[in-house]
Amino acid sequence: MIQIQGLKKTLNQKRVLDGVHLTIDEGETLVIMGPSGTGKSVLLKHIVGLMDPDDGDVLVDGISVANANRRQILQVRERVSYVFQNSALFDSLTIRGNIMLGLSEGRCSRRDDVCESMVRESLTHVNLEPEVLDLRPAELSGGMQKRVAIARAIVGRQKYILYDEPTTGLDPVNAAVIADLIDHVSHDIEGTTVIVTHDVEAAFILGDRIVLLSHGRIRAQGTPEQLRHTEDVAVRRFLSPSSVVEVA
């Protein structure tokens, strides 16, 4: 379980998180949405300790991220994987090398055969062939790079997978493919998935629960069905471009 407790963060003199309280249950797929600048990606970065809060805390399976020492942060990062918005692949490494970055030393004990097996298994989950393993990221399309980033995130079978705008920069066809892939992976891995996205249609397909951030706070949350019938005018206005909201 991930517990976000009164999280506050100011960047460039703007309060982007203003006392967020949120519990992410094990096994659920949670989608976080909201206008640009509302702290969605900032929230994700606090979960893995890439940012320190001004106030509040994040607990990952009871471990305080804000107050964690080096050993505890490593424990958190062995449980949480992160798919960055721009894929964040290393150009100097092959696809194999990039995916292996998702493996802790304890997971494969640096045995080449064990690591290779885990890397190849992760490729099957994202529908890539082993032939790509010796290529460099620049030799792949943007959609394939996203798949590699997801393979790196799932190779170690971490308990929690965080996706930061996974379809940004992709054309509609590839965006739909990646959304379907995330849905497939979340069921295959049977972990807990947190997705930050602007894609309203994908959010309603993927999410067990949707959270809408506005001005650094949670404006609304609920199941897709509950948000389809929300009476909050601001929430309806944000969601309506997708045509998935039915106003009673």
Side-chain angles (χ1 to χ4, degrees), residues 101-162:
L101 292 175
L103 290 168
S104 66
E105 185 172 351
R107 287 298 180 98
C108 63
S109 302
R110 295 305 176 196
R111 286 179 53 194
D112 290 342
D113 56 338
V114 174
C115 288
E116 182 72 11
S117 175
M118 296 175 78
V119 167
R120 287 174 177 263
E121 182 184 3
S122 73
L123 279 185
T124 65
H125 284 295
V126 298
N127 299 323
L128 286 177
E129 298 297 327
E131 285 76 15
V132 306
L133 286 172
D134 294 320
L135 300 179
R136 305 279 175 172
E139 298 177 85
L140 303 182
S141 67
M144 292 179 73
Q145 290 182 28
K146 292 279 187 180
R147 292 177 185 230
V148 172
I150 294 172
R152 180 176 61 190
I154 66 175
V155 66
R157 293 284 177 153
Q158 280 87 343
K159 187 175 180 180
Y160 306 102
I161 303 178
L162 313 182

Side-chain angles (χ1 to χ4, degrees), residues 140-235:
L140 303 182
S141 67
M144 292 179 73
Q145 290 182 28
K146 292 279 187 180
R147 292 177 185 230
V148 172
I150 294 172
R152 180 176 61 190
I154 66 175
V155 66
R157 293 284 177 153
Q158 280 87 343
K159 187 175 180 180
Y160 306 102
I161 303 178
L162 313 182
Y163 294 89
D164 189 0
E165 299 283 6
T167 60
T168 293
L170 299 179
D171 61 76
V173 172
N174 274 311
V177 168
I178 293 300
D180 287 344
L181 180 62
I182 291 170
D183 190 35
H184 169 75
V185 166
S186 66
H187 286 93
D188 265 9
I189 302 301
E190 296 182 346
T192 302
T193 303
V194 184
I195 306 167
V196 162
T197 184
H198 281 95
D199 189 335
V200 179
E201 186 173 357
F204 274 77
I205 293 170
L206 296 173
D208 298 319
R209 182 162 53 112
I210 298 172
V211 169
L212 183 64
L213 287 182
S214 179
H215 301 291
R217 296 188 176 190
I218 294 177
R219 177 66 183 251
Q221 64 175 306
T223 65
E225 186 65 20
Q226 288 170 333
L227 290 191
R228 279 189 178 98
H229 297 92
T230 180
E231 296 182 0
D232 188 319
V233 175
V235 174

Side-chain angles (χ1 to χ4, degrees), residues 59-87:
L59 303 180
V60 177
D61 292 339
I63 300 174
S64 167
V65 178
N67 300 299
N69 56 34
R70 178 176 173 79
R71 178 181 59 81
Q72 290 169 324
I73 281 291
L74 290 175
Q75 288 178 337
V76 168
R77 291 176 182 170
E78 286 180 352
R79 303 178 193 194
V80 182
S81 59
Y82 196 112
V83 180
F84 290 89
Q85 181 174 337
N86 61 354
S87 298

Side-chain angles (χ1 to χ4, degrees), residues 11-118:
L11 296 173
N12 299 321
Q13 300 182 330
K14 178 184 177 182
R15 179 60 62 87
V16 293
L17 295 175
D18 192 18
V20 174
H21 292 269
L22 180 65
T23 297
I24 303 169
D25 295 322
E26 291 187 14
E28 79 167 326
T29 296
L30 178 75
V31 177
I32 301 174
M33 304 191 72
S36 297
T38 55
K40 304 182 298 298
S41 296
V42 172
L43 183 60
L44 284 194
K45 288 180 172 64
H46 279 83
I47 294 175
V48 290
L50 294 176
M51 284 186 169
D52 296 321
D54 298 332
D55 198 9
D57 200 357
V58 176
L59 303 180
V60 177
D61 292 339
I63 300 174
S64 167
V65 178
N67 300 299
N69 56 34
R70 178 176 173 79
R71 178 181 59 81
Q72 290 169 324
I73 281 291
L74 290 175
Q75 288 178 337
V76 168
R77 291 176 182 170
E78 286 180 352
R79 303 178 193 194
V80 182
S81 59
Y82 196 112
V83 180
F84 290 89
Q85 181 174 337
N86 61 354
S87 298
L89 302 180
F90 289 87
D91 293 335
S92 60
L93 297 178
T94 63
I95 299 307
R96 177 184 283 102
N98 271 282
I99 295 175
M100 286 182 64
L101 292 175
L103 290 168
S104 66
E105 185 172 351
R107 287 298 180 98
C108 63
S109 302
R110 295 305 176 196
R111 286 179 53 194
D112 290 342
D113 56 338
V114 174
C115 288
E116 182 72 11
S117 175
M118 296 175 78

